[in-house]
Amino acid sequence: MSGKSISVLILFVLTGTGAARCQSGQLPDSILRPTIKWKMQQTPAEKPFSRRAFLVPATMVVFGAVAAASDGGLRNIDFHMKEEIYTEELPRRTKIDNVLQFTPAAGAFLLDVAGVKGKNNLRDRAMIFGMSMAIMNATVFTTKRLTQQHRPDGSNFSSFPSGHTANAFAGAELLRREFSEVSPLYGIAGYAVAATTGYMRIRNNKHWFSDVVAGAGVGILSTDLAYYLYPKIRNKIFKSDNPTATTFIMPTYSSGSFGFSFSKTF
């Protein structure tokens, strides 16, 4: 199998994960003719927890872990991917994956500026995203320290799982969950960008295939878990006797660091 065929296969598998989670639907007129609306809508009622939603990303994590820990079998897939993509093609390294990893999450917030309403208001969406990032980063960095997996380029021992890929897929799942009822195209686009991020990590010789698959699973699970946990603590955090009280939490970027700005009026 040629390097180009392997590249297409990786993108197909990772993007297909998101496409399978998106429902089919028509592109509404609100997307073609967006109207900016600044009023924040009410958060929908909590939905029952679905274990089935965790099955695919959990399977991806297990596959990546087994492949990374094995001496042969699934581990040979990692070596084959590296040989086909990196060794034969000798790709020129690029840093575009450092930017792509943030694109799906950014889209989940910028769509509101274009007048496309998501499932949750900006406050709750930002809180869910913050919880997802906390869960994802804690999982990724703890696992990296415990596994001490060497990178394909031999630069260090923090290869498993891929943090860039986890970050991208966490944002893609946020995008899918918020806007799937508007159009499944948003989720598909987010997962396509996330899949490209994962592929670029392999192409840049920074991660094995198993790192990327596991990272994608961790990212999706982190966002799904945040959506499950947040309604349980939302009312305790933002409970107020003043019906006119408003809370705004927005993502911020300064000097290379991402964070959140908080504002509450009583």
Side-chain angles (χ1 to χ4, degrees):
M1 185 178 290
S2 66
K4 291 184 178 179
S5 298
I6 292 291
S7 303
V8 173
L9 177 61
I10 293 174
L11 290 173
F12 177 78
V13 171
L14 295 178
T15 308
T17 301
R21 297 168 71 88
C22 299
Q23 299 178 351
S24 60
Q26 299 294 328
L27 190 64
D29 292 338
S30 60
I31 298 180
L32 302 178
R33 297 186 297 274
T35 302
I36 297 178
K37 297 180 180 180
W38 298 101
K39 186 176 181 180
M40 298 166 68
Q41 70 271 28
Q42 296 295 321
T43 302
E46 177 183 354
K47 293 184 178 180
F49 171 69
S50 175
R51 294 181 180 179
R52 185 175 300 179
F54 284 70
L55 181 60
V56 174
T59 301
M60 297 171 72
V61 174
V62 172
F63 168 84
V66 172
S70 63
D71 294 328
L74 294 178
R75 183 61 170 168
N76 290 332
I77 297 178
D78 285 339
F79 299 135
H80 182 62
M81 291 291 187
K82 177 180 178 178
E83 180 182 359
E84 291 290 340
I85 295 178
Y86 186 78
T87 307
E88 290 186 4
E89 293 188 9
L90 295 175
R92 180 179 177 182
R93 294 191 180 186
T94 174
K95 295 183 179 180
I96 191 173
D97 45 345
N98 293 332
V99 177
L100 286 179
Q101 63 174 322
F102 301 113
T103 304
F109 292 96
L110 293 177
L111 280 172
D112 274 272
V113 178
V116 183
K117 286 187 176 182
K119 183 180 299 183
N120 291 291
N121 57 47
L122 289 177
R123 179 200 70 188
D124 291 331
R125 193 181 312 163
M127 290 298 294
I128 291 170
F129 178 61
M131 289 180 62
S132 173
M133 290 294 100
I135 295 170
M136 185 271 294
N137 281 295
T139 302
V140 168
F141 290 110
T142 299
T143 305
K144 283 179 179 290
R145 290 191 176 187
L146 291 175
T147 57
Q148 291 290 298
Q149 178 75 286
H150 70 281
R151 292 186 185 272
D153 63 358
S155 58
N156 56 48
F157 290 86
S158 53
S159 185
F160 182 86
S162 170
H164 282 64
T165 307
N167 197 17
F169 274 87
E173 179 65 359
L174 178 76
L175 189 63
R176 183 192 72 84
R177 278 189 169 250
E178 286 296 322
F179 298 96
S180 61
E181 295 180 1
V182 179
S183 172
L185 295 180
Y186 292 120
I188 293 174
Y191 269 88
V193 173
T196 302
T197 302
Y199 167 71
M200 292 307 300
R201 296 305 286 166
I202 301 176
R203 187 177 178 85
N204 287 335
N205 206 30
K206 285 296 183 180
H207 282 288
W208 305 99
F209 177 70
S210 57
D211 301 337
V212 168
V213 174
V218 169
I220 297 171
L221 283 173
S222 298
T223 297
D224 286 345
L225 188 58
Y227 271 94
Y228 171 65
L229 294 175
Y230 179 65
K232 300 178 180 299
I233 64 175
R234 179 184 59 229
N235 294 333
K236 294 182 180 180
I237 296 178
F238 297 105
K239 185 176 180 180
S240 174
D241 296 329
N242 182 2
T244 62
T246 58
T247 304
F248 294 94
I249 301 177
M250 291 293 293
T252 61
Y253 177 84
S254 177
S255 301
S257 300
F258 286 85
F260 293 94
S261 62
F262 179 90
S263 174
K264 186 175 182 66
T265 58
F266 301 89

